[in-house]
Amino acid sequence: MTERRPARIAPRAALSTLTRRPRPVAAVPRPPEGPVAEAPRTLQSRMVDNGVYAGGRRIATPASAAESHEWLTDGFDDRMVWLGLYRPEPAELGELAEQYGLPDLAVEDAIQAHQRPKFERYGDTLFVVLKAARYLDATEEVEFGELHLFLGKDFAITVRHSESPDLSRVRRRLESSPDLLALGSEAVLYAILDAVVDGYAPVVAGLENDIDEIEVQVFRGDPHVSRRIYELSQEVVDFQRAAQPLTGILAAITAGFEKYGVDEELRSYLRDVADHVTGVTERVEGFRLQLREILTVNATLVAQRQNDEIRELTLTSIAQGEEVKKISAWAAILFAPSLVGGVYGMNFDHMPELDWYYGYPFALALMVMVSVTLYVIFKRRDWI
């Protein structure tokens, strides 16, 4: 857990990039048209839900963040505001920073998004960044959603930058358990952490199923499996980066139980979430090692298949060479008589031995002798 001192000296200067608007005054009517009327409607459109709670029960649903903040100025200590925002504009977060005293650095992180999961304490305000995950089976990808939480004594502000997670279910769950919601913003933190970690279960199941399919492909000799192994390994690493920091976040929260007087029931719930996170991170680490081993096995099998193919090609070449030797040997044997016959077949008038009485038998004997001699030579050299 990182604890920072809140920067309250010059909030407007520190948030110069937010382009804040002044807090609307209730006594001034809002014009129905014109550019001034567009800004409140933009703020309203970015607000998914806005509830005021007392004793764990919703007592009001204000139309704007300014109205909900007015419920906290009546001197009631048991009230809490829970604001849910979806991709808010910088000016909207700037208004909330002024109304609820949000830390400037945390607000800038929430505006920029693309933050790593973390847990920081700025005085009495907690700032938590979580990474929700959803598995897309069609593309075998893990889709991540970034969630920012600002938690104070009497408020909880959630900022989503993606479609997941669906915090409406978390809100309905807490509203159905007033005793739990009455514990304040820490109960909201627990419920959101629990929802995010529960969302990891389908991702783990999807990755495990893909790994089983890859193992089958590897031993079937699928030539495209290497690419699939690499891509799935990248998804596992990204998922590990989202889930692994939760271990440190929950450890930091657990370390502050005594210091900040966290309710005992809530402590047990958070410990349960920590156990689930540990289980998820262990399985994901197992997936990463398993994919690395599968990639090694696949490389070994590919090399073995290549060696088998080379050996088969070598044997084929050797067999072809033997056939070539046999053909060459018989061609040489048959060529010798043809040579003798060709020489004596030239009917010139002045050739020796043309009038020899034994010339014809001698030619046949010569052909047979040369052929037999060649046959014996080739046979000794295993060409025949």
Side-chain angles (χ1 to χ4, degrees), residues 5-28:
R5 296 180 60 186
R8 310 283 355 129
I9 299 176
R12 292 182 180 271
L15 293 176
S16 58
T17 60
L18 301 186
T19 316
R20 293 179 175 174
R21 298 171 300 183
R23 177 177 174 181
V25 181
V28 179

Side-chain angles (χ1 to χ4, degrees), residues 167-233:
L167 296 184
S168 62
R169 296 182 179 179
V170 178
R171 190 183 289 263
R172 289 195 298 268
R173 173 192 172 189
L174 285 178
E175 289 179 346
S176 64
S177 303
D179 293 339
L180 179 60
L181 186 54
L183 298 177
S185 60
E186 293 171 342
V188 176
L189 174 60
Y190 151 70
I192 293 177
L193 280 170
D194 190 48
V196 169
V197 175
D198 285 346
Y200 289 164
V203 178
V204 171
L207 293 174
E208 185 174 21
N209 181 67
D210 287 340
I211 291 175
D212 292 340
E213 293 178 357
I214 283 176
E215 288 180 338
V216 175
Q217 283 184 278
V218 166
F219 290 101
R220 284 181 178 176
D222 191 335
H224 304 292
V225 71
S226 296
R227 181 182 181 88
R228 187 180 181 188
I229 294 173
Y230 175 78
E231 292 176 349
L232 191 61
S233 297

Side-chain angles (χ1 to χ4, degrees), residues 88-110:
E89 296 293 335
E92 301 170 35
L93 284 178
E95 282 190 11
L96 294 177
E98 290 182 345
Q99 294 166 356
Y100 294 92
L102 304 182
D104 301 337
L105 295 178
V107 172
E108 291 179 1
D109 288 345

Side-chain angles (χ1 to χ4, degrees), residues 112-177:
Q112 296 173 3
H114 304 293
Q115 302 293 320
R116 57 178 293 274
K118 60 182 179 179
F119 173 83
E120 295 177 338
R121 185 180 294 275
Y122 297 84
D124 295 332
T125 302
L126 296 181
F127 177 60
V128 184
V129 180
L130 301 176
K131 289 280 190 179
R134 182 175 63 173
Y135 186 74
L136 305 178
D137 188 63
T139 57
E140 294 186 356
E141 294 179 352
V142 181
E143 182 183 77
F144 298 97
E146 190 166 334
L147 179 63
H148 301 256
L149 285 76
F150 296 91
L151 304 168
K153 179 181 179 181
D154 54 2
F155 68 87
I157 300 174
T158 60
V159 180
R160 286 192 297 123
H161 290 276
S162 60
E163 299 298 329
S164 62
D166 184 7
L167 296 184
S168 62
R169 296 182 179 179
V170 178
R171 190 183 289 263
R172 289 195 298 268
R173 173 192 172 189
L174 285 178
E175 289 179 346
S176 64
S177 303

